[in-house]
Amino acid sequence: MPSAHRDPALDALLHPFASGLLHGPEGCLFLRAREGAALCAQGLRGLAATQPFRPEAARLQRLGIELLDEDALPARQFPLVLVLPPRQREEARALLARACAAVASGGRVVIAAANDEGGKSREAELKQLAGAVSTLSKHHCRVCWTTGDVPADPALQAQWAQADAPRWQPCGDVPGGGFHTRPGVFAWDRVDAASALLAAALPAGLRGRVADLGAGWGYLSLQVLARCPQVTALEMFEADARALALAEANLAAPARAHGVALRLHWHDVAAGVAGPFDAIVCNPPFHALGRGERPDIGRAFIAAAAQALRPGGALWLVANRHLPYEEALGSAFGQVDAVAQQGGFKIVRAVKA
């Protein structure tokens, strides 16, 4: 079933094909593909795709689309490469460079981005890589496609291909003095303020089997290891495959040093989590792939946590103060305590009855 949420960028990307301006040959590659009515209507045959975000990847798999590893694309080239570039500059440039490397001679790269998600910048960057492009506006998005040989600037393509490469970020606020990261993952160049507030509130007495829901690159899990010596097992659930790979790099050695069993899951927490856990820490996302607020995601995380905890187990959650989670917490847990409110955030401890 197509997603219930509108996807103007996907609709705009496929508009030139639906209107007959462009032809979609078999054997297309779609970078950061998303399922939607426009994609189903187009019916591109032999489509291969990349998508590191687990909920979208699962939807594509249900359509029978072949999923590829974005960081290790096959040597074969494609007559058509579609791209929905992200907003973050280095990540977007690397994706455009991969698109230009993957397109066959005489083939075409087509991209689309919302005007308020950097559409004008993505158009300028594609021009830098590929030379001449054609552009149209649709659904408050900018759609661009190459009209000449790609890449026009091989040296720039090689440079940008490394723009989002994993790197070490020194940081005194992280156990170990820094963390592995890469542009584009959440809080890639800093410690998220909400997560830091939650970490400071965690009791040293957390014990047993602990889960980190929406673990990102692993900050909260690192803090659990450093602050809670009675934790024996730690499981991390993260929907972004790029972030999860960083979490593994950040947590593997500390977990061994603390004698804690570590498991990582590329998983959509909103679909539920297999427990049972003695405690759960969570800074739930409230955006999906767009910019609009999605408090339904946080509520789904709360429901998943309640289902996965043992009776008497506690959820430690941080969220923006205005997000409406109180009803979901009250209906799912026997006891809900406001631990702190600071800097626009709230920390909640919820105990399962």
Side-chain angles (χ1 to χ4, degrees), residues 118-129:
K120 188 174 183 180
S121 296
R122 302 295 85 83
E123 177 188 14
E125 289 159 351
L126 186 61
K127 283 181 179 178
Q128 287 180 265
L129 286 172

Side-chain angles (χ1 to χ4, degrees), residues 27-259:
C28 166
L29 174 64
F30 192 169
L31 300 180
R32 301 295 172 93
R34 300 200 287 264
E35 168 267 355
L39 181 64
C40 296
Q42 191 58 39
L44 293 170
R45 297 177 59 187
L47 179 65
T50 72
Q51 179 49 263
F53 187 55
R54 180 59 184 162
E56 290 294 343
R59 294 184 186 105
L60 295 169
Q61 287 177 315
R62 286 195 289 269
L63 292 176
I65 293 172
E66 177 189 9
L67 287 184
L68 304 177
D69 183 348
E70 190 171 281
D71 289 329
L73 289 174
R76 76 179 189 268
Q77 293 188 304
F78 299 82
L80 174 66
V81 181
L82 306 174
V83 191
L84 288 173
R87 189 180 189 195
Q88 205 281 330
R89 185 183 65 178
E90 288 81 6
E91 185 185 12
R93 286 180 171 181
L95 201 66
L96 294 179
R98 292 187 187 102
C100 289
V103 70
S105 177
R108 194 185 305 278
V109 175
V110 186
I111 74 169
N115 294 332
D116 60 359
E117 290 281 335
K120 188 174 183 180
S121 296
R122 302 295 85 83
E123 177 188 14
E125 289 159 351
L126 186 61
K127 283 181 179 178
Q128 287 180 265
L129 286 172
V133 301
S134 292
T135 303
L136 64 81
S137 295
K138 192 71 177 177
H139 304 305
H140 304 288
C141 299
R142 197 169 297 241
V143 189
C144 313
W145 59 89
T146 59
T147 57
D149 291 334
V150 179
D153 190 338
L156 185 63
Q157 178 219 317
Q159 176 187 337
W160 281 6
Q162 299 301 313
D164 74 336
R167 64 203 64 186
W168 176 255
Q169 179 76 26
C171 180
D173 295 327
V174 176
F179 55 98
H180 297 277
T181 188
R182 67 187 301 186
V185 303
F186 175 69
W188 73 273
D189 58 351
R190 68 191 188 281
V191 171
D192 172 61
S195 293
L197 191 65
L198 176 57
L202 291 177
L206 292 187
R207 65 179 64 208
R209 189 179 178 209
V210 176
D212 183 352
L213 305 187
W217 53 257
Y219 171 76
L220 281 175
S221 289
L222 285 169
Q223 293 289 356
V224 167
L225 289 179
R227 295 168 181 264
C228 308
Q230 297 177 81
V231 170
T232 58
L234 179 61
E235 299 201 25
M236 306 173 69
F237 296 82
E238 173 54 49
D240 182 355
R242 300 167 82 249
L244 192 66
L246 297 167
E248 184 173 21
N250 287 322
L251 269 295
R256 284 195 302 269
H258 287 83

Side-chain angles (χ1 to χ4, degrees), residues 195-353:
S195 293
L197 191 65
L198 176 57
L202 291 177
L206 292 187
R207 65 179 64 208
R209 189 179 178 209
V210 176
D212 183 352
L213 305 187
W217 53 257
Y219 171 76
L220 281 175
S221 289
L222 285 169
Q223 293 289 356
V224 167
L225 289 179
R227 295 168 181 264
C228 308
Q230 297 177 81
V231 170
T232 58
L234 179 61
E235 299 201 25
M236 306 173 69
F237 296 82
E238 173 54 49
D240 182 355
R242 300 167 82 249
L244 192 66
L246 297 167
E248 184 173 21
N250 287 322
L251 269 295
R256 284 195 302 269
H258 287 83
V260 173
L262 178 68
R263 293 184 64 192
L264 297 96
H265 307 268
W266 184 41
H267 184 73
D268 177 13
V269 171
V273 172
F277 295 102
D278 298 292
I280 290 175
V281 297
C282 183
N283 179 2
F286 58 98
H287 300 282
L289 293 181
R291 296 182 66 190
E293 285 193 0
R294 292 279 307 280
D296 59 299
I297 299 175
R299 289 192 288 266
F301 270 53
I302 291 167
Q307 185 68 31
L309 281 165
R310 299 182 191 275
L315 166 66
W316 288 83
L317 176 142
V318 65
N320 288 50
R321 191 180 299 179
H322 72 278
L323 290 172
Y325 293 157
E326 282 69 23
E327 182 177 350
L329 288 162
S331 62
F333 289 89
Q335 177 184 343
V336 179
D337 298 315
V339 175
Q341 294 194 38
Q342 181 179 326
F345 305 111
K346 57 189 174 187
I347 297 175
V348 175
R349 176 181 177 268
V351 180
K352 184 171 181 177

